[in-house]
Amino acid sequence: MRIETHSLGTQQRPPIGLALGGGVARGWAHIGAMRALMEAGIKPDIIAGTSIGAIVGAAYLSGKLDVLEKWALSLNQRKVMGYMDIKWGGSGLMKGDRLARVLNHYMGDVNIEDLDKKFAAVTCDLRTGYEVWLQRGPIVPAIRASYALPGAFEPVKIDGRFMIDGALVNPVPVSTCRALGAHMVIAISLNGDAFGPMGSSHEVDLEGDNEGESDPFGMASQSLNKLRPDRLLLKSMIGGVTPGKSPKIGSVMMGTLNIVMDRISRSRLAGDPPDVFVAPRIGHIGMLEFTKAEELIERGYAAMQHEIPLIRSVIDVLSQMPSAVALDDKKKS
């Protein structure tokens, strides 16, 4: 058995894994973190993503990170509402078809096994509760399965199994990176300062007049005026958080997810900690505030940039250490 190594000047660096955690809208911080790594010339060999972490990881590996960033920065309240296709009586509040069309437009022809780096989208089998790593086949269904939050999106059927959000089993997939061969793992958690706003920290305006802003996907133009019941439902879900009043259903769902991710992350990271842990300070931003991309990207960039010296130090140390396989071969000789 051979351990793959990678050149780092005159040294051989260990394979680097990047674990991108889940966190709904806060996941835009991953874009900034990736930018900082790219500027530093640090290229992961393995990426494992949970939920929105799978989206950003897939965009990076398929060369669409710029497109994803442009789209995220273009989002306003009306456009976000436009992607929420309500389905009455289904297994999820939203079908997710509008968002899927966006993903298919840019990554619909990409298969995971054709990427030049290892990638896994972390999801969960609804029937068994088992953690599943999707590493083959079309990348878009794998991404959709990874972010299929119960109650919000319908489960995604893959190979005869219904898959739901991977954040329920592995919110920050360090273990996935290690299993795929990473000797060094950088983990980005969106839950570092967990208990900030859950839904939206401001009142959602469904009557916004932001029609003139650019939409690089051009797919969010459907008028909400024809969907009055849907608009009322959406407002009841993700409207503003009012102190002293009962939380709305969206805030309850996000709060529940946040608790689950926090508890599971603490347990799993204690047993299998990353070599470098990056936690942008984004708890003050609601988990449904997709319109806060600019701030989230900046905070993700700053958090990763702060850890670059440590990352270089860990790479240097591990590059000078003989691998377990090399030691074993030496003993046999």
Side-chain angles (χ1 to χ4, degrees):
M1 177 180 175
R2 292 288 180 185
I3 296 294
E4 182 182 2
T5 56
H6 305 267
S7 176
L8 184 70
T10 59
Q11 297 177 327
Q12 296 293 314
R13 72 162 176 80
I16 297 174
L18 181 63
L20 300 176
V24 200
R26 293 173 183 165
W28 297 146
H30 287 318
I31 297 175
M34 295 299 305
R35 291 290 183 208
L37 281 176
M38 292 166 67
E39 285 185 11
I42 299 170
K43 299 179 180 180
D45 307 291
I46 298 157
I47 294 181
T50 295
S51 197
I52 196 165
I55 295 178
V56 177
Y60 168 77
L61 290 177
S62 59
K64 303 297 183 182
L65 191 65
D66 288 343
V67 176
L68 179 64
E69 182 175 6
K70 184 177 181 182
W71 177 65
L73 291 170
S74 77
L75 290 176
N76 54 46
Q77 291 174 13
R78 177 174 290 276
K79 290 175 181 176
V80 171
M81 298 304 111
Y83 289 114
M84 296 184 178
D85 44 356
I86 299 296
K87 179 178 181 180
W88 304 104
S91 55
L93 183 64
M94 291 176 283
K95 290 185 292 185
D97 289 347
R98 295 178 192 169
L99 183 55
R101 284 200 296 271
V102 173
L103 296 173
N104 276 309
H105 183 70
Y106 286 95
M107 294 186 283
D109 60 345
V110 178
N111 287 321
I112 297 175
E113 60 268 29
D114 295 334
L115 298 171
D116 60 356
K117 305 292 183 182
K118 290 183 181 179
F119 173 75
V122 178
T123 185
C124 174
D125 186 321
L126 176 61
R127 188 180 69 83
T128 65
Y130 291 164
E131 180 179 339
V132 178
W133 303 340
L134 299 175
Q135 302 173 67
R136 298 188 63 81
I139 202 167
V140 172
I143 295 169
R144 293 187 66 186
S146 188
Y147 70 67
L149 179 64
F153 292 103
E154 293 187 322
V156 177
K157 192 174 184 179
I158 296 180
D159 295 333
R161 295 188 291 178
F162 287 99
M163 303 295 185
I164 57 175
D165 199 321
L168 299 173
V169 287
N170 198 351
V172 187
V174 172
S175 58
T176 311
C177 289
R178 295 210 190 279
L180 295 182
H183 287 191
M184 172 187 175
V185 178
I186 304 167
I188 306 176
S189 171
L190 307 175
N191 222 38
D193 47 350
F195 296 102
M198 301 305 169
S200 172
S201 61
H202 61 278
E203 186 66 26
V204 172
D205 176 17
L206 299 185
E207 306 292 343
D209 57 357
N210 298 308
E211 301 296 333
E213 296 186 20
S214 63
D215 181 1
F217 292 97
M219 298 179 182
S221 60
Q222 179 173 343
S223 173
L224 293 174
N225 293 328
K226 300 176 183 178
L227 303 173
R228 179 68 60 176
D230 299 47
R231 292 175 63 201
L232 293 175
L233 177 59
L234 289 172
K235 190 175 181 66
S236 72
M237 283 186 60
I238 62 174
V241 177
T242 305
K245 292 188 177 181
S246 297
K248 297 181 179 179
I249 185 172
S251 296
V252 173
M253 289 177 62
M254 292 302 102
T256 302
L257 177 63
N258 212 37
I259 293 169
V260 169
M261 288 196 302
D262 179 63
R263 297 301 185 263
I264 295 176
S265 294
R266 288 174 185 270
S267 175
R268 299 203 60 159
L269 294 178
D272 190 4
D275 298 281
V276 178
F277 184 73
V278 183
R281 293 302 173 187
I282 53 180
H284 64 287
I285 298 176
M287 295 177 73
L288 293 176
E289 292 192 280
F290 289 95
T291 60
K292 295 291 186 71
E294 183 173 6
E295 181 181 355
L296 286 163
I297 291 171
E298 289 176 355
R299 287 180 174 270
Y301 177 88
M304 181 60 78
Q305 194 175 48
H306 182 268
E307 302 297 339
I308 293 297
L310 175 59
I311 293 172
R312 293 192 187 282
S313 176
V314 174
I315 291 175
D316 186 59
V317 169
L318 293 179
S319 297
Q320 297 178 46
M321 294 176 63
S323 70
V325 171
L327 289 173
D328 187 57
D329 289 343
K330 186 175 181 180
K331 288 178 182 179
K332 290 179 181 178
S333 64

